[in-house]
Amino acid sequence: MCGIVGISAQRNIVQNLIAGLSALEYRGYDSAGVALQGPDGIVRLRAKGKVRDLIALQKETGLDGHCGIAHTRWATHGVPSEGNAHPHLSGEVSVVHNGIIENHSALRAELQSEGYEFSSQTDTEVIAHLIERAQRRGTSLLAAVQQTVKRLHGAYAIAVVSAREPGTVVGARYGAPLIAGLGEGEQYLASDVHALLPLTRRFIYLQEGDVVQVTRDGLQVFDADDTAVEREVRESHFSADAVQRGDYDHYMLKEIHEQAQSVTDTLEGRIAGGRILTQIFGVDAERLLADTQAVHIIACGTSYHAGLVARYWIEQLAGVPCTAEIASEYRYRDPVVQAGTLFLTISQSGETADTLAALKLAKQMPYLAQMAVCNVPESSIVRESSLVLMTRAGPEIGVASTKAFTTQLVALALFALELGRSKGLDAARYADGVAQLEQLPGLIVETLKLDAQIKALATRFADKHHALFLGRGTHWPVAMEGALKLKEISYIHAEAYAAGELKHGPLALVDEEMPVIAVAPNDRLIDKLKSNLEEVRARGGELYAFVDESVAHGLDAAHVIIMPAAGEIAAPVVSTIPLQLLSYHVAVLKGTDVDQPRNLAKSVTVE
């Protein structure tokens, strides 16, 4: 993984291939490459490092062509190097691949016994050799790919070119996203629509097991049984401008400041007359909510933290049991599913491999229904779910999630309140929760005004190696998200604890060199949290408190940032934003790659 682009056209397309890779840089990668059909066969350029290194190499060589493929790689097999970078070659065939081929060792041994030599440590190279072998036996590129994918175990999205068939690109997908783009006199493949938005707005979202043959004049899709099929052509609503950085120094900062608008967009058309419109969850939502007796939330990373916040809301507002679990753990245990349990997945991309696998497992179990909270309407998780609530965050380019998280919280709050209403939630409490959501964009705007204060505070973190984050109730997951942001982009080791757990171990770490960050809204646990913070202060810890203005008086902390007052629904969103800003400014001071932190990918489409 992580980014694939393929184009067949009547013109030189090398700049478009590389521009497509640039648009996918947000996904995270360690090398980049391009392969084009030329008069003397396949010509390939690869570079360890950034797309800019590939651009420099292309300018130096003058490589051009009318048909080719390109890739940004995030290492799964083999260290980051030019030799392991995609595209991979075998004779007349070149391949790019996202995913993991689980049986690559057996396939490698088989191919080596036939005399094939391997020049990389990757699992991908077996795909190139298998396709080349099939073509040497007289098959077309399409047939060779169809034969090859039937032998692959694992997840893949691939794009393939062959010098034997000028002007043709063949793609295939299973367990990893791949889309086809339709143009005039040219056609496209990519792993993400953002790579192609400057070229087309018309896309086909390939289904599991699909193989597609692309030429400049058109494309044809075949299903897993090799039968020609028609797939729906969809118009993308994403704007090419949405993936531009504008006047901001980093995408992450831009996306932090977009949160008032993205929350507004997430709420738009979903509340009327002080009431959440039940139909936003699906045509059968009224009955399904009434029948819901429990909720299982499954997610990964930041989305898991959103699920943990939702767990508190669902139990407090709806009075039904709720669990939140990491998808990679859920899929390898034997969950007990009680009657009336709703299965709820959360994913920014809708292609998160572990979450998608958990969803497929859940569809074989006696759940009431499957619901998705997601940011990408055409994604696999959305298509596989019976109930869907889109977050409308728009494209999020920074690897460290910001607006995707806060819009997930908003979507989950809509769900928790409406589930609560169906279970007899007090009308005044319901109305107050809805009002808090409507006020949230304004509260976010006020919170963003703290940026200068937080930037100044960040200077105290630049030389630190560790940090503790504390919270209680819904703000424990907020503290977890704050710790994740700091470690993701500044590389400072950070951990989050429920504040009541301090005395059960973490207090041993507290000294003058350990910054302790606490999130302190005015809720029913505030007095308990103040007592926990006193434990830190008494042991010489330097305390940084992000507090609701109504509880700032009398709080004994070295550094206090006062946030706008917010209720139980709005507070987790409001409290998240200062922690995002803190992480951002610390990372800038430390000189890290804020938008593309090392070793990380935006969309994790492998297990």
Side-chain angles (χ1 to χ4, degrees), residues 122-338:
T122 68
D123 55 341
T124 302
E125 198 173 355
V126 302
I127 304 174
H129 288 319
L130 288 170
I131 295 171
E132 169 66 19
R133 183 175 69 177
Q135 280 222 283
R136 283 187 182 179
R137 295 172 179 173
T139 64
S140 67
L141 181 59
L142 172 63
V145 171
Q146 289 172 323
Q147 291 173 20
T148 295
V149 296
K150 289 178 171 58
R151 300 204 59 198
L152 304 180
H153 301 165
Y156 58 80
I158 62 174
V160 190
V161 290
S162 169
R164 298 181 181 90
E165 297 187 29
T168 298
V169 184
V170 175
R173 69 149 296 193
Y174 184 85
L178 189 70
I179 56 100
L182 286 74
E184 297 295 330
E186 53 192 62
Q187 315 299 328
Y188 322 100
L189 289 176
S191 54
D192 189 315
V193 294
H194 299 120
L196 302 178
L197 285 175
L199 301 173
T200 185
R201 303 298 292 276
R202 299 172 65 232
F203 298 99
I204 293 173
Y205 293 83
L206 299 174
Q207 297 184 16
E208 291 281 60
D210 279 356
V211 176
V212 58
Q213 179 172 264
V214 171
T215 68
R216 69 188 190 186
D217 297 320
L219 58 85
Q220 179 64 67
V221 180
F222 301 84
D223 65 17
D225 296 321
D226 301 338
T227 302
V229 292
E230 295 292 329
R231 299 292 187 218
E232 180 183 0
V233 178
R234 302 189 187 187
E235 191 87 13
S236 174
H237 299 293
F238 282 133
S239 163
D241 295 337
V243 296
Q244 301 303 313
R245 201 173 64 203
D247 296 329
Y248 291 93
D249 290 336
H250 297 92
Y251 283 109
M252 182 179 179
L253 185 61
K254 172 178 179 278
E255 288 153 8
I256 290 172
H257 283 269
E258 286 175 341
Q259 288 177 109
Q261 184 60 53
S262 60
V263 166
T264 298
D265 293 342
T266 299
L267 292 171
E268 184 181 4
R270 291 170 167 174
I271 297 174
R275 165 81 188 275
I276 298 165
L277 305 177
T278 312
Q279 294 83 357
I280 64 175
F281 304 105
V283 293
D284 202 23
E286 189 80 50
R287 178 188 65 80
L288 288 170
L289 291 178
D291 290 345
T292 296
Q293 302 303 314
V295 180
H296 281 180
I297 298 175
I298 304 298
C300 300
T302 285
S303 297
Y304 169 64
H305 297 157
L308 289 172
V309 174
R311 180 185 66 180
Y312 284 94
W313 284 338
I314 289 167
E315 294 194 341
Q316 290 168 2
L317 298 171
V320 301
C322 179
T323 61
E325 189 168 354
I326 298 168
S328 57
E329 290 298 312
Y330 172 87
R331 60 184 291 202
Y332 292 114
R333 68 177 184 85
D334 297 314
V336 176
V337 181
Q338 296 180 335

